[in-house]
Amino acid sequence: MKNLFLRLKGRIITVNKWLGFCFLIAFASVLLIDLWLVKLPEWFTNASVIGTIYRNLCFAYMTSFIFYFLNVHLQNYKTKVKTFGYLENKLSRLQQLSVDLIILLKKAAGEPRRSHENLLTKDEVKEYCKKVNPNPTNSISYTWSNLSFLNWYELFEFIETETKDIFRDLSTIKESLDTEIITRLANIEKVAESGLNKTRGKVLGNTTLELFATEIYEYRNQCEEILVYFHQEYEIYEDEYAREYDPKYNSEKAKKEQENEH
C-alpha cells in the first residue's frame, strides 16, 4: 500500500505546476457553479450564459488535462524512471573527468592529494596552474583512463572528445532530460570545446597553464553542479528505479557515500 501511494505521489507531483494549477481552478469552478451558483438569481443580464460558457471551457480543459496526464505525462514519467540509471552513469562519468583533471593538476603542481577532492576556488586553481608546465618532459598519465599524453594540450583535446561523446549519448534519451540539464550540458561542452581545447591540440609556447585556469575551474565546477542538480530534481525517480530495475542500486549508492566520507 505504501509503495502504491509513493508511485501515485511521484506521478502527481511531477506534473507541470501551471497545468496542475489550472486543472484545480477548472475543477473548483465546475463544483462552485453546479453546487451553488446555479441556485442563485442572475447577478446581471446574461450572467447565466457567461457562466455556462465558462463551465464548458472548464470541462474542455479538464478533459484535455486528463488525456495529457494518462497518455503523455505517465509515459514520460515511466521513461525517466527507466533511464535514471543511464543518465546518472553518464553524468557521474562527466564529473569523474573533471575530478581527475583536478587531481592531475594538483599532482603536477606538487600538491598532496586528498582522498576526496572537493571543489577548488578559482584562485586556488590559478595558483596550481602557475606551477604546471603544459609541455612536461615526461608523459602525462590521466587517472580516469590510464592513458598517456605527451602534453596538456593533447589531454584537453581528449577531455573535449569524451565530453562530446557523453553529450551525444545523452541525446538518445533527450525525452528524459529537462531543459535545465540540456542547458547545463551545452555550457559544459562549450567550456571543453572553446575553453580547454581552445588550441585544438596544438602546442603553444607558454610555460605555465595559467592561460587555462578559468576554463579548468569552470569545467570542474559545472560538472559538479550538474550532478548535484540532477540528484535534487530527479530524486523522485530514484527510489522507483532502484526498486523496479536495479535492486543493488541503493546498496551501491550507500557504499559510495561511505567511501566519500573517508
Side-chain angles (χ1 to χ4, degrees), residues 15-16 19-20 23 60-70:
V15 172
N16 180 280
L19 295 181
F23 175 81
Y61 178 81
M62 290 167 60
T63 303
S64 299
F65 178 87
I66 293 172
F67 178 86
Y68 157 80
F69 183 83
L70 296 177

Side-chain angles (χ1 to χ4, degrees), residues 11-225:
R11 285 155 174 77
I12 292 173
I13 65 175
T14 52
V15 172
N16 180 280
K17 300 297 187 295
W18 280 107
L19 295 181
F21 176 75
C22 290
F23 175 81
L24 292 177
I25 293 296
F27 182 73
S29 297
V30 171
L31 288 180
L32 183 65
I33 292 172
D34 287 359
L35 297 179
W36 182 53
L37 293 180
V38 294
K39 300 176 182 179
L40 301 178
E42 285 188 325
W43 295 345
F44 54 87
T45 304
N46 293 325
S48 62
V49 176
I50 296 175
T52 300
I53 293 174
Y54 175 69
R55 179 181 179 277
N56 291 340
L57 289 175
C58 289
F59 258 117
Y61 178 81
M62 290 167 60
T63 303
S64 299
F65 178 87
I66 293 172
F67 178 86
Y68 157 80
F69 183 83
L70 296 177
N71 294 279
V72 179
H73 176 71
L74 292 185
Q75 182 61 38
N76 289 344
Y77 182 91
K78 195 66 174 179
T79 298
K80 286 185 176 182
V81 171
K82 289 181 177 180
T83 57
F84 175 87
Y86 182 82
L87 181 53
E88 184 188 44
N89 288 339
K90 292 298 179 180
L91 294 181
S92 295
R93 180 183 171 191
L94 191 62
Q95 187 202 38
Q96 194 60 51
L97 280 168
S98 69
V99 169
D100 289 344
L101 176 60
I102 295 298
I103 292 175
L104 181 59
L105 177 67
K106 293 184 66 177
K107 180 180 178 181
E111 297 291 331
R113 175 184 172 182
R114 297 191 296 268
S115 58
H116 178 60
E117 293 297 323
N118 295 316
L119 289 172
L120 301 177
T121 66
K122 186 179 293 186
D123 289 338
E124 287 176 323
V125 172
K126 188 174 182 179
E127 289 302 313
Y128 294 149
C129 286
K130 288 179 180 179
K131 301 176 182 179
V132 178
N133 183 356
N135 297 293
T137 54
N138 298 321
S139 61
I140 300 171
S141 180
Y142 192 42
T143 310
W144 178 80
S145 62
N146 285 325
L147 295 176
S148 295
F149 302 92
L150 294 177
N151 51 60
W152 283 78
Y153 305 104
E154 286 189 1
L155 172 60
F156 291 151
E157 191 171 34
F158 170 78
I159 291 176
E160 183 204 350
T161 300
E162 290 295 307
T163 301
K164 286 188 173 182
D165 285 346
I166 294 171
F167 194 97
R168 185 181 63 250
D169 291 342
L170 290 178
S171 68
T172 62
I173 57 167
K174 58 184 178 181
E175 67 277 2
S176 298
L177 307 177
D178 63 24
T179 54
E180 181 66 21
I181 285 185
I182 293 175
T183 300
R184 289 172 182 263
L185 284 171
N187 290 338
I188 292 172
E189 184 184 33
K190 181 179 179 181
V191 172
E193 180 180 16
S194 304
L196 291 179
N197 194 30
K198 66 181 72 176
T199 69
R200 295 295 182 268
K202 295 180 180 179
V203 177
L204 300 181
N206 50 311
T207 57
T208 72
L209 280 177
E210 189 174 1
L211 178 64
F212 299 88
T214 299
E215 289 78 10
I216 292 174
Y217 167 79
E218 288 295 336
Y219 186 79
R220 172 70 188 105
N221 193 60
Q222 291 187 30
C223 287
E224 175 72 19
E225 287 181 351

